[in-house]
Amino acid sequence: MQNLIEQSADIIGNSELTLALTGAGVSVESGIPDFRSAQGLWSKYDPAEYAAIDAFRARPEMVWEMLREMDDLISDAKPNKAHLGMGELERMGCLHWIVTQNVDNLHQRGGSKNVIEYHGNSSTLSCLWCGRGYLSEDRRNQYPPRCDCGKILKPDVVFFGEAIPQDALSRSFQLASAAQVLLVAGTSAVVSPANSIPAIAKRNGARIIEINMERTHLTDTVTDVFLQGSAGTIISDLVDAVKRKTAELSI
Ligand code: OAD
């Protein structure tokens, strides 16, 4: 494993544009379960019933049972070594952008500034009927949270059947096309269109470094270096290795 970490640090050290694509696995060590692992959220809630926009419109009270559980976990969570390490890589000039499918704000709280939120952010709520917006924390004492117009509010996260925010979509596509390195961390990469990012990057010549507890469909197709293990441990080892390389170069 140490060899693979050193190899990845070399690849990152030689890159002028490194992009990361992250998923729920990077927040697992912050106490937020992922979706598709054995203990994941979708083992308890059927996404067709709880994560589709039509389901929210038809049964918002029911969908809020799941949203409230997520909201409680997210509001208690702190950035872990994966988020902090990625923030440090950005400060070192070794990670330029993160495209995250997560809605928990933990990359930003971990020190990353250049974060594209592909599936939105749960810290704000909107009314689908009158368009008013609110901070989630200002409505946390209400369940389900309601707009001043009386309707149930929806978090500003992308539900199945909703479009990806246009800015996030176009910026991610541009970056994936131009990146020299793509770090894919903690995602099963099965949800479209975020899962097209690795293939776009690969087609345009990027080296792909994948960090995951388990192999994914990317591992045997586009991945160049597979770092198997928890994102927190691997990313902090990677930060140490990049620091050592940078120090060697400056002697
Ligand atoms: P998934 O649950 O599909 O995948 C999480 C991945 O993280 C799996 O491949 C796990 O093996 C891996 N993993 C778990 N713990 C880890 C750890 N500590 N370190 C490293 N890897 C770990 O979650 P996503 O790929 O993020 O979208 O799912 C994508 C989208 O599906 C979500 O954004 C959400 C969901 O439906 C919407 O709801 C629109």
Side-chain angles (χ1 to χ4, degrees), residues 22-29 32-37 40-42 47 51 80 82 100-103 119 157-161 164 185-192 194 210-216 227 229-234:
T22 67
V26 300
S27 294
V28 165
E29 291 158 85
I32 304 172
D34 66 9
F35 296 95
R36 294 176 182 79
S37 296
L41 206 64
W42 296 159
N80 66 51
T100 188
Q101 298 163 88
N102 301 343
V103 299
H119 289 162
V157 303
V158 175
F159 278 58
F160 289 112
I164 303 300
T187 178
S188 60
V190 296
V191 173
S192 174
E210 183 184 12
I211 299 170
N212 202 304
M213 295 291 281
E214 291 167 10
R215 300 176 76 81
T216 69
L227 302 173
S230 81
T233 305
I234 303 265

Side-chain angles (χ1 to χ4, degrees), residues 63 140 193 205 216:
V63 172
R140 209 154 265 142
T216 69

Side-chain angles (χ1 to χ4, degrees), residues 71-123:
D71 205 40
D72 287 347
L73 290 167
I74 290 175
S75 61
D76 287 346
K78 294 188 177 53
N80 66 51
K81 287 192 291 180
H83 305 107
L84 297 169
M86 291 176 101
E88 199 165 352
L89 284 177
E90 183 183 297
R91 284 193 295 281
M92 290 159 66
C94 295
L95 174 59
H96 302 91
W97 284 91
I98 297 174
V99 176
T100 188
Q101 298 163 88
N102 301 343
V103 299
D104 54 25
N105 220 32
L106 289 177
H107 280 302
Q108 293 90 329
R109 289 176 56 201
S112 296
K113 293 199 169 19
N114 297 333
V115 182
I116 296 173
E117 294 176 312
Y118 208 82
H119 289 162
N121 190 308
S122 64
S123 64

